[in-house]
Amino acid sequence: MKINHPLLGPRNESEFTILGDAKLLNRPNILESNQAQAFYEYLYLRDNPIGMHRELWFHEQGDRSWLIVTRNTLTHEISKVELAANVVNKEGQAK
Amino acid sequence: MSYSAIKVIKEAFTGHRGWKPLWRRPEPKPEYDIIVIGGGGHGLATAYYLASEYKNKKIAILEKGWLGGGNIGRNTTIFRSNYLLHDNEKFYEMSLKLWEKFEQDLNYNAMISQRGVINLFHSDAQRDAYVRRGNSMLINGADAILLNEDDLRKKCPFLNYDNARFPIQGGLWQPRGGTIRHDAVAWGYARAADQLGVDIIENCEVTGFDIQNGKCNAVRTNRGTIKAKKFGVAVAGSSSAVMANAGLQLPIESHVLQAFVSEGLKPIIPGVITFGAGHFYISQSDKGGLVFGGDIDGYNSYAQRGNMTVVEDVCEGGMAVMPMIGKARLLRMWGGVMDMSMDGSPIIDRTPIKGIYFNGGWCYGGFKATPASGKCFAHLLATDESHPNAKAYLLNRFEKGQMIDEKGMGAQPNLH
């Protein structure tokens, strides 16, 4: 797979590591009470879809930026690559 | 039709015209007692044990493709029971004991070969960890022998003992581990289940569950709606997709694992050898091909094929531990979809929906578990009680903090 890095252009998958579903950006608020169920769901449950999947990749052997890659899990086709920092600034900060 | 040497000789002299298909091709009936969803190794074994040991009558297996086309035909055929944690070790040792009598029980040749499994160690600390694991195996009734470098050099003179970074100091050997022909496992269980009256229905994909008041009464399929009292789901890589039809989200991600076979060579590899410093394991098939593999690719995938990065990684592991492998040419490679659970251990349990039972989360270790998985799942479906050897494999163990984390990797499915 080649990942089209928004700043560096197409880079080989071997330069990256993957964390998983981009929903991991939306961590429950640790300061609120009664969050046990929310943290269980956050930590352990996954949609694991067939088809489009937004996921977090880390350019570890490159510029060390976090990317949000939209990828088809059935064909491995990548349709969109964004800088995670830009998305977080737009959609709101993780707590 | 029972197999015997006399039958083989008779057929040899009569043009092999007397062999019959191993299972029927029945049309689905409108109603069963128990429906097993998924005609892979685990589903077939489950149906076989439901019919043979628990004497259930009206059983069907629904398989979306053809029988044996999924992970049961895509693995590297290894069985072993070399686990550390007791919850795992007793279960996998039960499985190994069932493998040892598989051929006799089913009257089916599966070319079982207990040539041993050797896990190499490369440092003092790793040796100590393997000693602890070996002791855990012995406590649970399995076999384990610690080999030092001299023992190992006699068995496997071809390994790269003097590797500067990862010298080989010895290995943990399980002599009763080995390989068994995976297609024959599927066919053997299918034939035995069919003879006991199980309807094996191929090309029948489950597209939904009819659930009323928290109870499942029927499944919708591309061949019509089929009623039953209980439904056992054993669909490996497709677990999340099938259970989403019942409105359940699972602690599972699906990942692709690749496997490789070289051209056929004369016998060279005794048993199964695993590299302790990287992720690489190898055995030799009866046809002579070197069968090997390594890590999953690491990203969610339902593609049944992987990418070059991991192909290179696996081959680097092979070259590091066994440089002679560089002379062999790669013949075939393929991928299978693994249901990676969050702690690396499987689930055999009820679900919050009455009538639906779940078997999955086998990560890339499901093949060796096939007989025990089938027996424990059949026990659960027949009696509504967990089998004593599978009591820890609960669906809600992540919620309750009762993980079975063999590797100590935490909630990160692509590291197990």
Side-chain angles (χ1 to χ4, degrees):
Chain A
M1 278 192 297
K2 280 207 178 83
I3 295 174
N4 196 6
H5 193 298
L7 304 176
L8 303 174
R11 309 298 306 177
N12 195 305
E13 165 216 341
S14 62
E15 296 177 4
F16 296 82
T17 56
I18 180 172
L19 182 65
D21 195 325
K23 285 182 182 169
L24 290 170
L25 284 170
N26 305 318
R27 192 170 62 203
N29 189 346
I30 200 163
L31 300 176
E32 286 174 23
S33 53
N34 300 323
Q35 292 290 293
Q37 182 66 23
F39 268 103
Y40 156 66
E41 288 170 10
Y42 171 79
L43 197 54
Y44 294 113
L45 298 186
R46 297 287 185 273
D47 288 337
N48 194 21
I50 299 177
M52 285 304 167
H53 192 225
R54 282 180 92 223
E55 49 200 27
L56 284 163
W57 290 74
F58 180 51
H59 198 195
E60 188 168 32
Q61 307 294 326
D63 74 343
R64 304 186 69 78
S65 58
W66 282 95
L67 306 180
I68 295 180
V69 176
T70 307
R71 195 178 55 91
N72 189 320
T73 58
L74 198 57
T75 63
H76 297 166
E77 185 191 357
I78 294 172
S79 51
K80 196 172 176 187
V81 184
E82 306 154 275
L83 281 172
N86 289 352
V87 175
V88 168
N89 287 340
K90 207 160 43 182
E91 293 180 4
Q93 186 72 44
K95 283 135 202 134
Chain B
M1 181 179 64
S2 185
Y3 294 128
S4 66
I6 295 164
K7 172 85 174 157
V8 172
I9 293 164
K10 182 175 167 251
E11 287 298 328
F13 284 105
T14 53
H16 290 288
R17 288 191 196 90
W19 303 115
K20 301 223 161 50
L22 297 189
W23 57 89
R24 298 163 292 133
R25 291 281 163 87
E27 285 297 312
K29 296 191 184 82
E31 189 168 357
Y32 291 92
D33 289 337
I34 300 178
I35 287 177
V36 178
I37 300 166
H42 292 224
L44 290 164
T46 302
Y48 165 71
Y49 284 111
L50 275 173
S52 63
E53 295 208 0
Y54 298 96
K55 310 292 178 201
N56 282 84
K57 290 281 184 284
K58 291 167 68 184
I59 304 166
I61 298 173
L62 309 184
E63 164 57 45
K64 77 170 171 184
W66 70 94
L67 198 143
N71 291 346
I72 189 68
R74 291 169 180 272
N75 55 73
T76 45
T77 77
I78 298 164
F79 62 86
R80 57 186 170 84
S81 68
N82 50 2
Y83 283 73
L84 172 69
L85 302 179
H86 294 315
D87 287 330
N88 282 332
E89 182 57 24
K90 67 183 178 191
F91 174 83
Y92 286 103
E93 177 55 22
M94 170 193 180
S95 202
L96 207 159
K97 288 200 172 79
L98 290 170
W99 280 129
E100 285 176 320
K101 57 198 195 82
F102 175 90
E103 294 180 320
Q104 284 68 36
D105 282 355
L106 276 69
N107 177 237
Y108 201 79
N109 179 13
M111 296 157 81
I112 187 167
S113 172
Q114 292 181 285
R115 285 174 292 176
V117 175
I118 299 173
N119 299 146
L120 303 177
F121 57 79
H122 308 266
S123 67
D124 292 354
Q126 197 173 24
R127 179 200 58 215
D128 293 350
Y130 280 17
V131 167
R132 194 197 308 161
R133 178 138 60 95
N135 284 335
S136 176
M137 292 159 68
L138 294 173
I139 287 168
N140 285 288
D143 57 323
I145 296 170
L146 195 74
L147 301 174
N148 63 27
E149 191 185 323
D150 289 340
D151 301 332
L152 200 58
R153 276 183 187 270
K154 286 189 199 105
K155 282 183 166 306
C156 312
F158 48 81
L159 296 176
N160 188 8
Y161 290 89
D162 303 319
N163 184 308
R165 178 65 184 85
F166 300 115
I168 296 169
Q169 296 187 357
L172 181 66
W173 181 33
Q174 182 173 35
R176 285 162 63 240
T179 57
I180 183 164
R181 186 170 177 216
H182 51 197
D183 301 314
V185 171
W187 301 335
Y189 275 130
R191 168 174 168 268
D194 180 80
Q195 285 175 351
L196 292 164
V198 174
D199 280 359
I200 298 171
I201 300 159
E202 294 170 270
N203 302 311
C204 181
E205 182 172 5
V206 169
T207 53
F209 294 92
D210 279 349
I211 298 167
Q212 283 171 337
N213 304 322
K215 184 177 183 308
C216 184
N217 303 310
V219 280
R220 290 190 294 276
T221 76
N222 57 349
R223 296 177 69 173
T225 297
I226 311 174
K227 285 187 193 167
K229 296 184 185 76
K230 292 176 181 177
F231 303 85
V233 179
V235 294
S238 302
S239 291
S240 295
V242 171
M243 295 307 275
N245 289 328
L248 290 178
Q249 206 183 16
L250 297 176
I252 284 174
E253 284 182 9
S254 295
H255 287 258
V256 60
L257 176 69
Q258 303 188 65
F260 309 84
V261 176
S262 80
E263 59 190 324
L265 303 168
K266 287 187 176 176
I268 176 73
I269 312 256
V272 182
I273 298 169
T274 74
F275 186 26
H279 200 153
F280 176 82
Y281 58 93
I282 187 164
S283 63
Q284 190 166 16
S285 77
D286 292 331
K287 281 195 290 187
L290 304 181
V291 183
F292 57 96
D295 264 321
I296 54 174
D297 274 34
Y299 43 82
N300 291 42
S301 175
Y302 286 90
Q304 294 189 323
R305 61 180 169 78
N307 275 298
M308 203 58 195
T309 305
V310 168
V311 176
E312 287 172 354
D313 184 65
V314 170
C315 292
E316 283 165 7
M319 289 300 289
V321 71
M322 196 180 291
M324 69 173 183
I325 200 176
K327 300 271 186 190
R329 277 169 293 190
L330 199 59
L331 189 66
R332 292 186 291 133
M333 52 198 273
W334 64 93
V337 182
M338 310 290 121
D339 36 338
M340 303 298 294
S341 71
M342 290 287 167
D343 61 358
S345 296
I347 295 159
I348 304 176
D349 200 6
R350 297 159 201 79
T351 68
I353 297 159
K354 206 163 180 298
I356 300 182
Y357 301 73
F358 179 69
N359 173 326
W362 291 98
C363 301
Y364 40 72
F367 176 69
K368 74 176 101 62
T370 304
S373 166
K375 191 160 179 168
C376 292
F377 200 34
H379 184 95
L380 177 70
L381 280 162
T383 65
D384 268 309
E385 298 280 334
S386 290
H387 189 282
N389 287 344
K391 271 192 184 334
Y393 294 152
L394 301 174
L395 180 58
N396 70 354
R397 66 175 183 269
F398 304 94
E399 204 174 345
K400 304 288 178 195
Q402 296 162 345
M403 274 69 82
I404 312 164
D405 196 345
E406 183 81 25
K407 277 192 171 178
M409 295 285 198
Q412 196 61 18
N414 59 3
L415 297 183
H416 283 288

